[in-house]
């Protein structure tokens, strides 16, 4: 299996220039699936903290770069939507948030906001023992004795240290959302209408903004609150 990734074929969410070189770094297996961006790309291409994979590996071995509260030593570890990246030695904290156009960007946040991360519920099912397993967009699973108040498409805020749910944002009309895919990726507004499509077609939502509204596919939006727009520092 090749260790390289052609720039022209990377997901649109990756923050890389596609026509400068033929290849870029390939992400290792891990969270976020194919959408995950190798950590070295954020360190090198976005922040400019390193010039090479070797420098990235050395920096990570110092134990001062955390992803969702845990030290990371793999420079190809996939990073994705709503992950928290902390540089404790620099006292810098970022949330991975989609910008306009759908590329993943690093939004500065306060240190106390780095203790938890947002996750969208993508699956919910009963498991052996009677508990309910909730699966989040980044592959994290939670098992709960009572998950009756949570539904797919809702969002949860998870404490990075304890994995406990510290906030719950239901998917419903009136909810604040951000579009993470499609032509409106990166835009934020409130759901004014959920339009259910009969048959196999995609449900859509109408999202109101201060200067108008837009319509997009239901699965393209994630429920957030005002602390997750990238403007909370």
């Amino acid at each position: 299996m090749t260790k390289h990734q052609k720039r022209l074929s990377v997901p649109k969410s990756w923050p890389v220039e596609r026509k400068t070189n033929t290849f870029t770094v390939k992400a290792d297996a891990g969270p976020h699936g194919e959408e995950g961006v190798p950590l070295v790309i954020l360190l090198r291409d976005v922040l400019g903290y390193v010039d090479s994979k070797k420098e990235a590996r050395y920096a990570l071995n110092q134990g001062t770069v955390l992803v969702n509260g845990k030290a990371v030593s793999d420079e190809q570890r996939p990073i994705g939507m709503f992950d928290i990246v902390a540089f404790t030695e620099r006292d810098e904290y970022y949330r991975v948030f989609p910008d306009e156009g759908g590329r993943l960007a690093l939004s500065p946040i306060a240190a106390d906001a780095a203790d938890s991360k947002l996750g969208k519920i993508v699956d919910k099912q009963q498991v052996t023992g009677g508990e309910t397993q909730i699966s989040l967009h980044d592959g994290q699973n939670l098992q709960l004795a009572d998950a009756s108040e949570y539904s797919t498409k809702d969002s949860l805020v998870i404490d990075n240290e304890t994995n406990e749910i510290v906030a719950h944002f239901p998917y419903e009309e009136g909810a604040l959302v951000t579009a993470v895919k499609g032509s409106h990726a990166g835009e934020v507004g409130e759901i004014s209408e959920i339009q259910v499509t009969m048959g196999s077609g995609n449900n859509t939502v109408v999202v109101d903004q201060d200067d108008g509204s837009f319509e997009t596919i239901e699965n393209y939006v994630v429920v957030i609150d005002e602390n997750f727009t990238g403007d909370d520092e």
Side-chain angles (χ1 to χ4, degrees):
M1 183 178 294
T2 179
K3 295 182 179 180
H4 300 285
Q5 166 74 56
K6 285 191 174 182
R7 285 177 178 259
L8 287 175
S9 62
V10 301
K12 292 181 179 180
S13 60
W14 283 34
V16 297
E17 297 298 327
R18 285 164 169 73
K19 297 182 179 180
T20 53
N21 296 295
T22 302
F23 294 100
T24 187
V25 181
K26 185 175 183 179
D28 284 342
H32 303 287
E34 294 181 354
E35 297 293 321
V37 181
L39 178 57
V40 64
I41 288 181
L42 299 183
L43 296 175
R44 183 189 63 195
D45 301 350
V46 178
L47 294 169
Y49 288 166
V50 300
D51 293 322
S52 65
K53 286 178 63 177
K54 182 178 180 180
E55 287 186 12
R57 197 173 300 123
Y58 175 81
L60 294 176
N61 283 338
Q62 307 310 304
T64 59
V65 180
L66 311 182
V67 177
N68 301 327
K70 298 176 178 61
V72 176
S73 59
D74 179 9
E75 76 277 5
Q76 293 179 235
R77 194 268 196 198
I79 306 297
M81 184 173 65
F82 303 125
D83 277 344
I84 302 295
V85 183
F87 300 89
T88 56
E89 199 169 62
R90 293 173 175 266
D91 198 27
E92 294 179 2
Y93 305 87
Y94 298 94
R95 178 181 294 114
V96 180
F97 200 83
D99 65 7
E100 293 188 10
R103 279 192 172 191
L104 296 177
L106 295 176
S107 298
I109 58 175
D112 58 358
D115 294 333
S116 59
K117 69 178 181 68
L118 187 76
K120 178 181 180 179
I121 300 176
V122 296
D123 190 35
K124 176 182 175 181
Q125 58 182 328
Q126 293 294 121
V127 294
T128 302
E131 292 193 332
T132 301
Q133 178 171 289
I134 288 177
S135 300
L136 304 181
H137 75 280
D138 59 359
Q140 182 177 5
N141 295 316
L142 305 172
Q143 290 194 8
L144 306 173
D146 181 9
S148 57
E149 64 179 299
Y150 307 124
S151 302
T152 56
K153 305 184 186 69
D154 289 0
S155 291
L156 303 175
V157 179
I158 310 299
D159 184 279
N160 288 330
E161 183 175 351
T162 66
N163 285 333
E164 293 181 351
I165 298 171
V166 296
H168 171 215
F169 307 136
Y171 172 75
E172 60 189 5
E173 292 181 356
L176 184 69
V177 297
T178 183
V180 296
K181 292 184 179 181
S183 60
H184 297 283
E187 297 187 36
V188 175
E190 290 187 0
I191 296 178
S192 61
E193 184 179 1
I194 298 174
Q195 301 173 331
V196 178
T197 302
M198 302 301 292
S200 59
N202 293 309
N203 293 344
T204 60
V205 293
V206 177
V207 179
D208 286 348
Q209 299 174 296
D210 291 339
D211 56 354
S213 64
F214 66 86
E215 183 176 330
T216 190
I217 295 174
E218 181 179 58
N219 288 336
Y220 285 2
V221 299
V222 177
V223 184
I224 58 175
D225 78 349
E226 64 274 9
N227 293 323
F228 287 81
T229 62
D231 301 323
D232 52 281
E233 186 178 49

